Amino acid sequence: MKEKSQEPATPPETHDTVRHGLITELLERPCSARDLSAAIGIPEREVSNHLEHIRKTISSSGRRLVVTPAECKKCGFVFAKREKLKRPGKCPVCKGESIREPLFAIEEKS
């Protein structure tokens, strides 16, 4: 039988909050929710909630959250007017479910 180690496993030590980590990633390059999830280590479904909060808080610091809208891979429909930050489920035009994820970035206001 295997012996268990006496010390419990400890998660890696981080000095940033989740949102600070997201902001750092978004300042470096445009990212999808999946990219952010992998980089920060949080579930993908939680990313949009954090992005909504980030959108509100960074506006006071002279920055803005830029969203490159999702696009249908089948017919090319662009979800330009969509306010939600989550990836759409299906295309309203062709009903296709193959959708390119929206990309997010932070840039300085001009």
Side-chain angles (χ1 to χ4, degrees), residues 2-10:
K2 268 184 154 179
E3 286 187 34
K4 287 187 177 181
S5 65
Q6 298 295 341
E7 295 181 32
T10 56

Side-chain angles (χ1 to χ4, degrees), residues 11-97:
E13 190 174 326
T14 58
H15 299 287
D16 266 352
T17 64
V18 170
R19 291 183 182 148
H20 283 138
L22 290 171
I23 290 170
T24 302
E25 291 292 321
L26 293 170
L27 286 169
E28 290 178 12
R29 62 182 168 35
C31 301
S32 68
R34 182 171 295 163
D35 297 336
L36 293 169
S37 169
I40 304 301
I42 60 172
E44 189 176 341
R45 65 182 177 272
E46 291 180 14
V47 171
S48 63
N49 291 334
H50 289 294
L51 290 175
E52 285 290 347
H53 188 269
I54 289 170
R55 177 191 274 179
K56 293 174 188 174
T57 57
I58 65 170
S59 64
S60 63
S61 66
R63 298 178 184 160
R64 66 187 183 105
L65 181 68
V66 179
V67 180
T68 304
E71 184 179 337
C72 177
K73 292 180 182 177
K74 188 174 179 183
C75 73
F77 177 79
V78 177
F79 293 81
K81 294 183 180 179
R82 185 175 170 92
E83 291 295 318
K84 294 179 184 176
L85 298 177
K86 292 183 180 179
R87 185 178 73 88
K90 59 182 172 173
C91 177
V93 176
C94 70
K95 307 299 183 212
E97 294 182 8

